[in-house]
Amino acid sequence: DTEEIVQNFLSSLFPIDTEFKFENPGAAVSIILRVINTDPVDGQTLESDSFNTFLKRRKNGRLQILFMKRASNPRDHFSGDVAFPGGKHEIGDGSFQQTAIRETREEIGLDLSPPSQFVCLGKLSHHSTSFRKNGYAVIPYVFLQLCDETPPLDLSSGEVSAIRWIDIGFFIQIPSHAIRDRLVPWVRMAVAYPNLINRTADLLGISAVIFRGIVLPDEISSITPDTLDPETDFHLWGLTMRMTFELLEASKLPIEMPHELEMSSIMYGNFRLLMQNRRISMPIMGGVMGLFGMMLYYLNTRSSL
């Protein structure tokens, strides 16, 4: 029931004017929702609809979430990642909501400002991208498309390689073969963690961290083990995955993050140390276990690359 889900968002999300306090610079992203396969109602047009009428007309529609894949760029810290449109707050924006709107327009050519086309339902809690002062506090705003057809998109070729609409129902029962590992070299992780952690990682020879994520299907075919392609896959992980599951929690749908997604691994030389629930799942020297346990706490609770 799409109407019930949207009402759940309205009651669960933070109001737009809620102020968050954070020390790091701010950024904002847009989580864009749309409803497709609506039931037509004779004699009604979008312009004459009230918001409640809009919801009732789309009660049996399918709710979708927009994800984008960043363009490949060796100089971009987020190259190739799946993300929501957004970026850093600028003085001229006036508000973080305007930041989300501006960045969305710049990155995918979609204007979220016309009230006849989109409405902001509220926002999720803010997320920190780093322990360091050069990180950002990211505020996700949730927008619902009101117009029957999504306006044409114009992707910024230097920033975005593709977009994909995903049915919210996909997350109710995620197929096991869609849960895949994402190997992240430690050199990329280093920018997000304190010097003490980085020095310890260098001392122990840690080369990479492996995160579990979800390969998102395209709109035409479902995912099978034979269709996975690391170059073109939409691999949802890290901060964007955490924001997605916070959104799903607000929907009050019967969705739970699969326990496989709570696991991470550390590459130590040629060994892969599997960790779960902030503990190392295989016996190692007591002192090393304590160290890796502390590192896993950081990775599982604050990783947001």
Side-chain angles (χ1 to χ4, degrees), residues 132-148:
R132 296 175 179 268
K133 291 183 178 180
N134 61 355
Y136 289 89
V138 181
I139 304 176
Y141 287 84
V142 181
F143 293 87
L144 175 66
Q145 177 182 308
L146 299 179
C147 45
D148 290 323

Side-chain angles (χ1 to χ4, degrees), residues 42-164:
D42 292 338
Q44 287 189 330
T45 62
L46 174 67
E47 289 74 14
S48 65
D49 281 350
S50 68
F51 182 65
N52 288 334
T53 303
F54 165 84
L55 294 180
K56 292 184 183 300
R57 289 183 62 209
R58 291 153 176 80
K59 182 176 182 178
N60 298 320
R62 289 162 37 216
L63 192 65
Q64 295 185 323
I65 308 171
L66 184 144
F67 294 90
M68 72 178 198
K69 185 177 178 67
R70 294 195 177 278
S72 295
N73 183 346
R75 295 177 297 178
D76 182 6
H77 185 64
F78 304 103
S79 175
D81 280 356
V82 169
F84 297 118
K88 295 184 292 185
H89 176 71
E90 297 181 358
I91 296 177
D93 291 335
S95 70
F96 283 97
Q97 182 183 355
Q98 289 302 315
T99 299
I101 291 173
R102 174 183 55 78
E103 287 283 347
T104 300
R105 186 187 304 114
E106 293 175 358
E107 291 185 335
I108 65 173
L110 187 61
D111 189 357
L112 302 175
S113 59
S116 63
Q117 294 186 326
F118 293 92
V119 61
C120 185
L121 302 178
K123 57 188 178 183
L124 301 176
S125 58
H126 75 280
H127 296 259
S128 176
T129 66
S130 174
F131 287 102
R132 296 175 179 268
K133 291 183 178 180
N134 61 355
Y136 289 89
V138 181
I139 304 176
Y141 287 84
V142 181
F143 293 87
L144 175 66
Q145 177 182 308
L146 299 179
C147 45
D148 290 323
E149 299 291 335
T150 302
L153 303 183
D154 181 16
L155 307 186
S156 172
S157 59
E159 297 183 273
V160 183
S161 63
I163 65 101
R164 188 167 292 181

Side-chain angles (χ1 to χ4, degrees), residues 177-191:
H177 57 261
I179 298 177
R180 293 284 165 167
D181 291 340
R182 174 66 178 259
L183 188 146
V184 182
W186 185 262
V187 65
R188 175 175 173 178
M189 299 292 302
V191 300

Side-chain angles (χ1 to χ4, degrees), residues 188-250:
R188 175 175 173 178
M189 299 292 302
V191 300
Y193 294 98
N195 291 331
L196 176 61
I197 296 293
N198 289 320
R199 287 197 295 267
T200 305
D202 289 341
L203 179 65
L204 295 175
I206 295 173
S207 58
V209 178
I210 299 175
F211 293 96
R212 289 282 169 84
I214 305 168
V215 178
L216 302 177
D218 60 33
E219 297 178 66
I220 301 174
S221 60
S222 59
I223 294 173
T224 67
D226 296 330
T227 61
L228 296 174
D229 182 353
E231 293 298 322
T232 59
D233 283 341
F234 273 60
H235 196 161
L236 179 65
W237 69 290
L239 175 62
T240 304
M241 186 172 72
R242 293 211 319 270
M243 290 190 291
T244 300
F245 275 93
E246 184 180 348
L247 175 75
L248 297 172
E249 182 179 359

